[in-house]
Amino acid sequence: MADRLTAKAALGTALSGVLAGVLISIGGTVNLSIENRVLGACFFSIGLFFVVSMRLWLFTGKVGWLCRNGMTYAVQLLLTLAGNFAGTLCVALLLRQTRAADGLVQRAAELSAAKMTDSLPSLFVLALFCGVLMYLGVSGFQTFDSAPGRYGAVFLAVTVFILSGFEHCIANMYYYSMAGVWGDGRAWLTMAVMVLGNAAGSVITAEGCRLSQKLLE
């Protein structure tokens, strides 16, 4: 990767981040729309399926490689996070203008309230384990040779983190936006904790795997 991020690359990263945020929001929408938790978790995976297939920049899918790259990559991650947020916000604002708004807002408000009233250590730990699964899902997609293995890794990572109640910061950006809670400072604080937790889980898993492989060589 180049030492300096060009304006073209920065714009491309941000735009890719917006598109990834839109796709995760679509997955979040179907999850809000289905009462059955298992089905909702399964269909939510559509977002990450297309993110990895189209090689889009999703913060939780890219942050695991932070320690293996330089400052340019770190800047790209910040642009990605901003783009992801913009994408989730746009989808939420648009869907709030539709006939589906009442049900989506109500369900998103319930989810958001549970997160915003949780303790910060609890949120961090739940986000950390989501980061672990996100790294495994994306890394598996990049590593496994067969299509069933690659997409199976993505599917399992997503469904398991949702059914386990782990916290995914980008999905929660969408839920917060749909619920309209950004005016509460607690929303920003809890989001910051979840971003850090996702990053920590992903980076620790990535570096732990890399270290173990070196020691076994």
Side-chain angles (χ1 to χ4, degrees), residues 42-62:
C42 291
F43 284 112
F44 186 100
S45 61
I46 186 176
L48 191 58
F49 274 141
F50 285 106
V51 165
V52 295
S53 297
M54 300 172 69
R55 295 181 294 179
L56 297 176
W57 280 73
L58 178 68
F59 177 79
T60 50
K62 294 287 188 179

Side-chain angles (χ1 to χ4, degrees), residues 64-155:
W65 287 265
L66 176 60
C67 294
R68 308 183 192 187
N69 295 282
M71 184 58 65
T72 297
Y73 191 79
V75 173
Q76 284 187 288
L77 285 176
L78 292 177
L79 290 171
T80 297
L81 191 62
N84 292 163
F85 176 71
T88 59
L89 181 62
C90 287
V91 172
L93 291 177
L94 288 172
L95 288 177
R96 284 172 66 93
Q97 311 308 311
T98 71
R99 67 173 183 271
D102 289 344
L104 293 175
V105 170
Q106 179 180 353
R107 180 58 180 146
E110 293 171 356
L111 290 177
S112 299
K115 302 171 194 304
M116 291 172 61
T117 56
D118 196 5
S119 70
L120 299 184
S122 172
L123 287 172
F124 182 83
V125 172
L126 292 173
L128 184 144
F129 282 106
C130 180
V132 171
L133 287 169
M134 288 299 294
Y135 173 78
L136 293 175
V138 174
S139 179
F141 180 83
Q142 296 175 348
T143 303
F144 298 148
D145 294 327
S146 67
R150 296 170 69 194
Y151 286 100
V154 172
F155 176 78

